[in-house]
Amino acid sequence: MKKIVKFLIALTVGLFLFWFIVRKAGWERLSEALVFLISLKGLLVVLLTLIIGVISILRWKLILRAQGFDLRAKDLGQLWAVGFTVSYLSPVALFGGEAFRIYLTKKKFNLSWEKSAASVVIDKILDGTLFLMFLIVGILAFLFYGYFPSKMTASLVFLIILGLGGLLLLFYFKAMARESVLEWFLKLFGVRKEKIKNNKNGKIIFDTEKEIISFFSPKKKAFWEGLGLSFLRYFLLFFRVALIIFFLKEGIEPSKVLAIYGFTNLALLVPLPAGLGSLEAASAFSFKVLGLGFATGTIFGMVWRGADLVLCALGLIFLAKFGADLAEAKILQFIDGLKK
């Protein structure tokens, strides 16, 4: 119930912010964004978005193969799409789509909780590493051209980057030294390791961490391949931004594209469904600061989200399919119980 209330609050805030930005830019921007999306230019952006999705699936397949499971990309793609959709549309939920991916992977492929959870966590760490790198470079580029709306915003951005960067550095430092991050945190809060480890769930958590640390080794080819696919994914995301801007403004310096990409990525950290409102606000502000026009930035934000929503639509189809399969299994299990 609490999650539903949080979601409704976030949705209301997002809708209000979206209404405010679009109203300021002009309601005709909605139709302009829609016309863009259904044009050949929009189809190219959507196609690039699907390619980015395929790269994400291949990275997850690579991780599972390193764990000893050579699964079909087609099957993994369905699960990844479900996870992407849940995370994108309900970011206020704890772990969101990751929990769905872990559960469905275990059920569909009969993996252990440790293997299933580790593969998803590894995937998120690799993704977060490149996200943070592009975010930092993008923010630095943005500061070269523009400014933050207020000192409070600048301080908040600095704290977010410092916090995420600190956690990632701590993880990599411990992982490369083959040491437990969980034990470090337990010591920090004065909790005895045995207290957690001596129960079933605690053992699963520590075994999952072992799987994760095992992957992050400079000696392993899979680790470098995972980083390579992550870089390719974020480079294509950056290229998608450049492509949309080129179609809207017909020419812009790569450094300004990086500045816009870095600043608008901040909107993805705001816990609003589909970045509703926050994406338009960030893109409109960054476009205005860089002299590209507030209204154009609003269109840019809506096109960005529109392309992502195509992936969400696929995820919803697969989510309905898995939901029906699970419901059927429960019904059959219930009928078998009655027979007995």
Side-chain angles (χ1 to χ4, degrees):
M1 187 63 183
K2 287 183 179 179
K3 288 182 179 179
I4 294 173
V5 172
K6 287 180 182 178
F7 175 78
L8 291 174
I9 292 171
L11 182 61
T12 303
V13 172
L15 285 170
F16 174 77
L17 193 54
F18 178 82
W19 170 83
F20 178 79
I21 295 297
V22 176
R23 181 174 175 270
K24 187 175 180 180
W27 291 105
E28 64 272 19
R29 307 307 168 207
L30 280 168
S31 59
E32 288 177 35
L34 182 60
V35 168
F36 183 103
L37 278 168
I38 61 176
S39 68
L40 180 59
K41 295 175 182 178
L43 290 175
L44 285 173
V45 172
V46 170
L47 178 61
L48 183 56
T49 303
L50 293 174
I51 292 171
I52 292 166
V54 169
I55 290 169
S56 301
I57 294 161
L58 292 176
R59 182 180 63 194
W60 190 23
K61 176 180 167 63
L62 168 75
I63 294 165
L64 284 163
R65 192 175 67 218
Q67 292 179 307
F69 305 97
D70 194 9
L71 305 175
R72 294 195 310 170
K74 179 183 175 182
D75 295 329
L76 289 174
Q78 296 179 17
L79 303 186
W80 180 88
V82 170
F84 174 83
T85 300
V86 175
S87 292
Y88 195 71
L89 298 180
S90 59
V92 291
L94 185 63
F95 298 118
E98 288 70 44
F100 270 78
R101 280 171 64 189
I102 291 168
Y103 177 77
L104 291 174
T105 305
K106 182 187 183 303
K107 286 290 182 182
K108 188 173 177 64
F109 302 113
N110 199 29
L111 270 65
S112 66
W113 284 115
E114 294 89 341
K115 296 284 186 180
S116 179
S119 72
V120 175
V121 174
I122 291 166
D123 187 56
K124 296 304 292 184
I125 292 172
L126 289 173
D127 198 69
T129 301
L130 270 295
F131 173 82
L132 188 63
M133 286 173 60
F134 272 84
L135 178 64
I136 292 171
V137 174
I139 292 299
L140 291 174
F142 181 80
L143 289 174
F144 180 79
Y145 289 105
Y147 55 88
F148 284 109
S150 65
K151 288 183 179 179
M152 184 179 175
T153 305
S155 300
L156 185 61
V157 170
F158 176 76
L159 286 173
I160 289 171
I161 292 175
L162 191 65
L164 292 175
L167 286 172
L168 270 175
L169 283 175
L170 172 66
F171 169 78
Y172 276 102
F173 177 78
K174 289 288 185 181
M176 297 302 171
R178 324 314 291 163
E179 295 176 1
S180 171
V181 181
L182 286 174
E183 287 184 23
W184 185 86
F185 273 109
L186 290 174
K187 276 185 182 178
L188 184 67
F189 292 103
V191 180
R192 290 174 61 245
K193 178 180 72 172
E194 291 75 17
K195 188 176 180 181
I196 306 295
K197 211 170 185 179
N198 288 340
N199 65 71
K200 187 179 178 182
N201 289 337
K203 186 176 184 304
I204 289 173
I205 291 170
F206 275 97
D207 287 344
T208 299
E209 187 192 34
K210 283 181 184 178
E211 289 284 338
I212 295 166
I213 291 174
S214 175
F215 181 88
F216 286 90
S217 170
K219 296 178 182 178
K220 288 196 172 184
K221 184 182 176 183
F223 167 65
W224 295 108
E225 288 175 338
L227 278 179
L229 284 172
S230 299
F231 178 81
L232 178 60
R233 180 178 187 271
Y234 275 92
F235 175 78
L236 289 179
L237 283 167
F238 164 75
F239 180 71
R240 184 178 68 164
V241 169
L243 193 64
I244 298 171
I245 296 173
F246 175 77
F247 287 149
L248 291 173
K249 298 298 292 186
E250 296 185 358
I252 184 175
E253 299 94 327
S255 55
K256 285 189 176 181
V257 174
L258 193 57
I260 291 170
Y261 181 51
F263 192 82
T264 48
N265 263 338
L266 290 173
L268 303 179
L269 297 174
V270 180
L272 295 175
L276 187 63
S278 61
L279 187 57
E280 283 78 16
S283 56
F285 177 79
S286 60
F287 269 62
K288 181 183 176 183
V289 168
L290 271 62
L292 300 172
F294 186 92
T296 307
T298 306
I299 297 170
F300 168 84
M302 287 189 282
V303 170
W304 175 328
R305 183 188 302 100
D308 286 340
L309 286 176
V310 173
L311 276 179
C312 284
L314 291 173
L316 286 172
I317 293 169
F318 294 129
L319 182 60
K321 176 180 176 293
F322 289 128
D325 290 343
L326 289 172
E328 182 184 2
K330 288 289 183 183
I331 291 169
L332 291 173
Q333 188 178 7
F334 176 72
I335 292 171
D336 287 341
L338 289 176
K339 287 178 179 178
K340 291 177 182 178

